[in-house]
Amino acid sequence: MKMTNDEYKEYSDTHQPRSNICANALKAFVVGGLICCLGQLIMDLYMCADLSKLDAGNATSITLVFLGAALTGLGIYDRLAKFAGGGTLVPITGFANSVVAPALEFKTEGLVTGTAAKMFIIAGPVIVYGVGASVLYGLVLLLLGVG
């Protein structure tokens, strides 16, 4: 069966499952909001334990990264992401998932060439650009005499 590109596109469009954009957006909003509420709860608990707001924020970030990594390792975070879509990608737990998931997927290829090499395949560019942007921002503040 020979098809032109336009014919194939039309065929593909008619056979693709339709997604419910409103339902998907609602699920992403609710699950992302619940993750953020959990983060606020954790921060409030740290502040009740007499941590300063800055220290409680740092401890909360560490806790959420740990929870995201642990839930990815247990296979729970991936199931939640299939349900909620982008709602699980935006919070910091999504970053932990993007580091742990490739590491688990390629662990059979060995510790160095599998886990270590693939661990930052998704998160690596985020880290590189984040560090680069923070250095640039720091230099601008230094030149302006703010830092």
Side-chain angles (χ1 to χ4, degrees), residues 60-119:
T60 300
S61 295
I62 292 167
T63 303
L64 287 173
V65 167
F66 172 77
L67 288 174
L71 292 175
T72 299
L74 295 171
I76 296 169
Y77 203 87
D78 291 337
R79 282 183 280 176
L80 183 62
K82 284 181 185 172
F83 171 77
T88 58
L89 297 176
V90 176
I92 196 169
T93 53
F95 173 77
N97 175 263
S98 70
V99 172
V100 174
L104 290 174
E105 185 177 342
F106 293 99
K107 70 181 178 183
T108 57
E109 294 181 20
L111 189 58
V112 174
T113 58
T115 302
K118 303 294 183 181
M119 187 180 302

Side-chain angles (χ1 to χ4, degrees), residues 20-33 82-88:
N20 187 339
I21 295 173
C22 291
N24 290 344
L26 181 64
K27 288 190 280 188
F29 177 78
V30 169
V31 172
K82 284 181 185 172
F83 171 77
T88 58

